[in-house]
Amino acid sequence: MSALDLIVIGGGPGGYVAAIRAAQLGMKVLVVDAFRGKRNGGLALGGTCLNVGCIPSKALLDSSHHFHRLLHGFGEHGIQADNARIDPKRMIARKDGIVAQLNAGIAQLFKAHRIETLHGRAKLHGDRRVRIALHDGGQTELSAPHVILAAGSVPVELPFAPFDGELILDNAGILDLEEVPRRLGVIGAGVIGLEMGSVWRRLGAEVVILEALPELLPALDRDMARLAEREFRKQGLDIRLGCRVEAVEKEASGLCIRYQHGDRKETLECDRLLVAVGRKPASAGLLGEDSGVRVDARGFVEVDAHCFTGVDGVWAIGDLVRGPMLAHKASEEGIAVAERIAGLPGHVELDQIPWVIYTDPEIAWVGLTEKQAAERGIPTRSGSFPFAASGRALAIGETAGAVKLIAHEKTDRLLGMQIIGPQASELIHEAVLTMAFHGSSEDLARICHAHPTLAEAIHEAALAVDRRAIHKAR
Ligand code: FAD
Ligand code: NAD
């Protein structure tokens, strides 16, 4: 191997994107990744996101959405689809095919950029020496002027409910169920709980979600969170808030979950359990004592605003460091670090990272909520518009939800947006763009939006900030 300019530890959306950008800038790059692909245990570039996260979960969300609409959504269009059935094995095979296609796509991109790879587990030592335990046996040690740590995150395990890959499942296990469980228990009504709970509910499972917090979706303003909660309950997701799970027992018929609900002790019987109570940085075993890299009390690698660890030539990005655990955040940090290494001014604005939950309706937000702004003493005005009043939403039969927009009371600068509704994942970028260009609600209100589109709801919400929405009575 010729002299390396950069070693990247981790081939997820942080690491692989950093590697490609660095190669574009003329660097000789090596990526070390430990993930074992589902098909043959070989190198499967793309990390959590591609192998057991973003992409496979969205593939299943889409399949289950089609099935659910076929059963319940097409009648009013005059479309009859009697005897619709789901073949979960085929659905999972489709999902695996998409993942494999994208794994191969990254490998192809690496080849085109002459990026080297090693399949194994890496540990960083002093002077940027990287020791690698190769999966096919043997060890090697390499060094480079720069190292990017991009080892990502792993699911948090509850001590009384260790993952067994069969009955008690993590994010990887729940993506591989080949039959619809009769009753699926879920611990945690966060992003994974809601997305994967939706998948199996749409396919016919009874889904009960136990959540510790007293409220659902604390990242949203209450009025918006309640809108989403109402829709989930209509779909039959049995979400129980304020529940403290105390024990999970294996029985002949499945699992028995014991939990405290207010002042009552309750139990839940289920035949599969998804534990989705958050993720933690994968820093265990990543750093030798002589690496000099600092880790905080929760295991996050400490970095400054530019992902620099403070150790000469060592950077860290993605789920391994502070900020939202999102693929696009990891990728943007990867690009910014590669550019900084090359002497360019790379930067990521953490306050402008959009979030999306791919349920039905979709939930998306960016920036501050009204509540967060109030907590920071920022005076605001808000405007909202329901999809029920949108001609396009009515035409596609997806009228649940609303757009809410928050602007600074004095300057009118756009501070944040929350969208619950169809295509929220795409629409939110109108807010991201406006915020990136320091735009105002008046800017959005003065931009001509095509008719009939879902984006008109954003236009109307912007007009509503000034109490002049057209299709909504004051
Ligand atoms: P990762 O993707 O975790 O990649 C890290 C890689 O490093 C892995 O391949 C790992 O095996 C490897 N590695 C770890 N330690 C070592 C080591 N010591 N040596 C060598 N290799 C190592 N985010 C979104 O933005 N949108 C979504 O829709 C979305 N959906 C998700 C759904 C699920 C079910 C899950 C679990 C997550 C989802 N996420 C989503 C989050 C997203 O997957 C992560 O934020 C993203 O993958 C983080 O990227 P990363 O590159 O930091 O780490
Ligand atoms: P999460 O942080 O989104 O939600 C975890 C939930 O579990 C929280 O509501 C928390 O209050 C609850 N909880 C924690 N301990 C509990 C306990 N003992 N009993 C009951 N409830 C408990 O975490 P997640 O759903 O595991 O997802 C992890 C991360 O992965 C997300 O935060 C996100 O960063 C990423 N992700 C993103 C997407 C997306 O972008 N669409 C999808 C999936 C995952």
Side-chain angles (χ1 to χ4, degrees):
M1 203 175 287
S2 56
L4 293 167
D5 298 304
L6 170 65
I7 299 174
V8 182
I9 301 180
Y16 90 75
V17 169
I20 292 175
R21 184 68 187 117
Q24 286 175 347
L25 291 163
M27 288 177 237
K28 176 80 193 142
V29 186
L30 166 76
V31 174
V32 187
D33 189 74
F35 196 89
R36 293 177 194 268
K38 184 177 168 187
R39 284 197 173 155
N40 56 10
L43 183 68
L45 292 164
T48 302
C49 169
L50 172 50
N51 291 293
V52 288
C54 325
I55 298 295
S57 61
K58 267 79 254 178
L60 298 191
L61 276 156
D62 220 47
S63 297
S64 60
H65 183 60
H66 291 317
F67 182 62
H68 190 259
R69 289 206 82 188
L70 201 58
L71 290 183
H72 305 287
F74 287 160
E76 65 176 21
H77 293 268
I79 301 169
Q80 298 298 333
D82 299 331
N83 300 324
R85 280 167 295 117
I86 180 76
D87 176 352
K89 281 201 173 77
R90 187 142 180 213
M91 176 184 79
I92 299 291
R94 170 184 179 270
K95 179 264 295 178
D96 290 342
I98 293 166
V99 171
Q101 188 180 337
L102 291 170
N103 291 141
I106 300 174
Q108 198 57 41
L109 286 170
F110 273 23
K111 199 170 163 204
H113 289 88
R114 300 186 200 295
I115 297 168
E116 308 271 352
T117 54
L118 283 177
H119 196 204
R121 196 156 282 281
K123 190 172 200 166
L124 177 72
H125 292 271
D127 300 325
R128 297 176 304 280
R129 283 174 299 114
V130 178
R131 221 167 273 164
I132 303 152
L134 297 163
H135 282 341
D136 61 4
Q139 290 244 1
T140 183
E141 185 175 297
L142 295 161
S143 68
H146 291 274
V147 174
I148 300 179
L149 304 170
S153 63
V154 291
V156 170
E157 202 167 43
L158 293 173
F160 50 80
F163 301 122
D164 63 12
E166 213 172 303
L167 297 181
I168 305 178
L169 305 170
D170 63 2
N171 59 290
I174 195 70
L175 289 165
D176 274 342
L177 282 185
E178 290 201 337
E179 58 187 51
V180 181
R182 191 181 55 81
R183 188 175 244 209
L184 174 69
V186 180
I187 306 183
V191 197
I192 295 178
L194 290 173
E195 288 187 353
M196 299 319 295
S198 295
V199 166
W200 296 103
R201 173 70 202 135
R202 291 169 191 168
L203 299 180
E206 258 182 70
V207 177
V208 181
I209 309 183
L210 305 176
E211 165 60 46
L213 294 176
E215 285 172 340
L216 192 66
L217 297 168
L220 302 183
D221 278 324
R222 282 304 81 208
D223 51 343
M224 295 297 278
R226 276 195 206 107
L227 264 183
E229 185 175 344
R230 200 169 60 218
E231 291 305 316
F232 295 148
R233 292 196 190 282
K234 266 198 236 164
Q235 292 162 16
L237 282 177
D238 180 351
I239 302 170
R240 302 181 189 172
L241 301 169
C243 294
R244 214 180 70 231
V245 181
E246 292 171 335
V248 174
E249 290 156 15
K250 287 190 182 173
E251 296 178 338
S253 58
L255 294 163
C256 175
I257 301 159
R258 300 188 186 282
Y259 63 99
Q260 184 84 27
H261 194 187
D263 52 10
R264 293 188 309 278
K265 290 218 178 283
E266 296 185 1
T267 57
L268 169 70
E269 308 281 336
C270 59
D271 41 18
R272 288 284 196 288
L273 175 66
L274 165 65
V275 179
V277 294
R279 295 179 65 82
K280 60 180 185 187
S283 54
L286 177 67
L287 303 166
E289 277 180 14
D290 57 343
S291 73
V293 173
R294 286 191 310 273
V295 169
D296 74 13
R298 295 192 300 154
F300 288 99
V301 170
E302 288 186 8
V303 287
D304 67 10
H306 300 301
C307 297
F308 177 52
T309 64
V311 175
D312 192 29
V314 181
W315 310 77
I317 59 172
D319 282 10
L320 197 59
V321 303
R322 83 284 174 270
M325 284 183 160
L326 295 172
H328 41 287
K329 177 263 195 185
S331 298
E332 287 304 311
E333 286 182 336
I335 290 172
V337 166
E339 292 182 348
R340 286 207 154 247
I341 292 172
L344 300 171
H347 178 67
V348 178
E349 197 60 68
L350 287 180
D351 294 340
Q352 293 173 5
I353 307 275
W355 275 85
V356 179
I357 307 182
Y358 296 82
T359 44
D360 182 18
E362 291 184 343
I363 302 171
W365 69 95
V366 62
L368 296 178
T369 61
E370 214 167 21
K371 184 164 173 269
Q372 288 163 343
E375 283 162 2
R376 294 181 197 190
I378 303 171
T380 56
R381 291 195 305 164
S382 70
S384 64
F385 191 78
F387 281 106
S390 148
R392 185 62 190 275
L394 212 63
I396 62 173
E398 296 190 40
T399 51
V403 175
K404 178 172 178 178
L405 187 151
I406 292 107
H408 194 288
E409 188 186 33
K410 304 260 166 11
T411 65
D412 192 40
R413 189 166 158 177
L414 185 65
L415 300 174
M417 190 182 289
Q418 298 155 65
I419 307 177
I420 295 177
Q423 301 291 332
S425 54
E426 304 293 339
L427 295 173
I428 195 65
H429 295 96
E430 194 162 333
V432 179
L433 203 64
T434 307
M435 287 171 65
F437 289 124
H438 298 194
S440 62
S441 84
E442 182 69 11
D443 288 328
L444 277 173
R446 283 178 183 274
I447 290 169
C448 179
H449 287 65
H451 176 74
T453 58
L454 296 167
E456 285 173 301
I458 295 178
H459 185 228
E460 290 274 11
L463 289 164
V465 171
D466 203 29
R467 306 289 166 256
R468 58 183 214 266
I470 301 296
H471 294 92
K472 183 173 113 166
R474 282 187 195 200

